[in-house]
Structures are given as structure tokens and as C-alpha cells.
Amino acid sequence: VYQPSPGVTSKRTAIIHLFGGGFFTGNKNAGYIINDIKALAPKGYTNISANYRLQTEGSWPAQIHDVKAAIRWARANAGKLGVEPNRIIVAGYSAGGMLSLMAAGTNGRPEFEGDLGTTGISSEVNASIGVYPLASAQTAAGLFPQGQATPENIAAASPTTYISEKFAPTIFIHGTDDTTVPVTSSIDFFTKLRAAKVPTTMTLIQ
């Protein structure tokens, strides 16, 4: 947990950061996350960098269960953290972006909750940020046990499946020259959310 810089007015908003790495590698101490936190803390945001299981540590849906557990923890400890329980945002990078979008699209869906950590608390997110996010689990088939990477299971793990008017407000940030996650993926997602009348914005970086 990284608290706002001393002397600044707190936004009373918690941002949970989820690292990238294609579900193969990475952890909550990633340098790009720390850099973003250093930029956000002086603006008054409380930041939480969270781990989730890699594909060698657990099969899907373990990863979204971990994210939901982090959200519940933040809400249960909102008073200690100095944030409002209705101001919890999830920001994810690449693979973590897929998880942030999944969290935004699965508010109120008990099949994604899991039973880790603090239970009996809402895991609803109030907004999400996708930084060059994976929009589909198609490229993360290794998340599934052998023989279970079926089209149906991949669709069920893909955030685009859950686009509706109930999707949490979302920000997309993507580089136009990204050769790993095509920028067209985020543009398509953004367009579909806007058509569903979900508050959404996009920043393209050249």
C-alpha cells in the first residue's frame, strides 16, 4: 500500500494495480507500476499493488479470484486506508489489464468471487483502467488445464463477453505502435463500451 504524498489533499480513492507479463511472469513490485504510483501519489491517490497467481501457480479462474479478494480487502479496510468504500478502481497492465476489465464486467457475478481472504464484502469496482490490456483470453490459453482451453471456456474468461450497460466506467491507455497487444483491440473494446452507453475514455500514446 502506497499512501498519498504528505501535504496533498487525499482523493479518498484507492487504485489497485495489477502487473502484466502474459500470466507467465511478473509481480506487484514491477518498476512500471512503481513509476505510475510515484506519479499518482502526489495527486492524492492511495495505491495498492497486488499479486495474483501466474499460470504455473493456478489455473483459471484463480487469477480473477485473487483480484476479487484484493478488492474485498481494500473495501473492508477502507477506513484504515483513508479511502471511501465506493471509490475503488482497478488498473491493469497487459495481462493485468485483462483482469481489470474482467473485474469491471463481472460486478455482481458470484461465479467469479472465489472464497479467498475477506468474504461477505462486495467485490464491486467503481471504475477500471486498462493499460494496453488483453481483451480476450485467446492468447492466454495456458491459463486452462490441459484439454480445457475450449472456445467456450476462453469466451467465459474474456472481458469482451461481459460488455453491457452494467460495465464499470473504464479508461483505456494504449500505445499506437504496440506490437504485442494491438491498439485496435482497445479501440474495438472502447467502441463497444460506448455503444453500450458505458462511460469510457481512451488515451492513445504515440
Side-chain angles (χ1 to χ4, degrees), residues 139-172:
T139 58
L143 286 174
F144 302 96
Q146 187 172 4
Q148 294 188 27
T150 63
E152 293 78 14
N153 286 342
I154 289 172
S158 298
T160 48
T161 300
Y162 304 97
I163 292 174
S164 76
E165 71 281 358
K166 297 180 180 179
F167 210 96
T170 297
I171 296 171
F172 292 92

Side-chain angles (χ1 to χ4, degrees), residues 68 102-109 113 123-126 166-168:
K68 298 279 189 174
M102 277 294 293
T106 59
N107 281 338
R109 298 184 70 112
E113 283 296 319
S123 66
E124 180 172 340
V125 291
N126 303 105
K166 297 180 180 179
F167 210 96

Side-chain angles (χ1 to χ4, degrees), residues 115-193:
D115 57 3
L116 300 173
T118 305
T119 57
I121 299 289
S122 170
S123 66
E124 180 172 340
V125 291
N126 303 105
S128 73
I129 303 171
V131 185
Y132 44 88
L134 298 181
S136 168
Q138 183 66 51
T139 58
L143 286 174
F144 302 96
Q146 187 172 4
Q148 294 188 27
T150 63
E152 293 78 14
N153 286 342
I154 289 172
S158 298
T160 48
T161 300
Y162 304 97
I163 292 174
S164 76
E165 71 281 358
K166 297 180 180 179
F167 210 96
T170 297
I171 296 171
F172 292 92
I173 302 172
H174 212 125
T176 56
D177 294 333
D178 194 331
T179 58
T180 302
V181 182
V183 67
T184 52
S185 172
S186 287
I187 293 172
D188 180 64
F189 207 129
F190 165 81
T191 302
K192 289 177 178 176
L193 285 181

Side-chain angles (χ1 to χ4, degrees), residues 1-2 14-18 33 37 46-50 70 73-74 81 83:
V1 175
Y2 302 83
I15 304 176
I16 300 173
H17 298 259
L18 304 172
I33 289 180
I37 287 171
T46 297
N47 297 274
I48 302 165
S49 191
W73 180 88
L81 295 170
V83 302

Side-chain angles (χ1 to χ4, degrees), residues 4-5 8-12 37-46:
S5 299
V8 303
T9 301
S10 173
K11 302 290 188 185
R12 297 193 65 81
I37 287 171
K38 287 179 178 178
L40 289 164
K43 297 182 183 298
Y45 291 97
T46 297

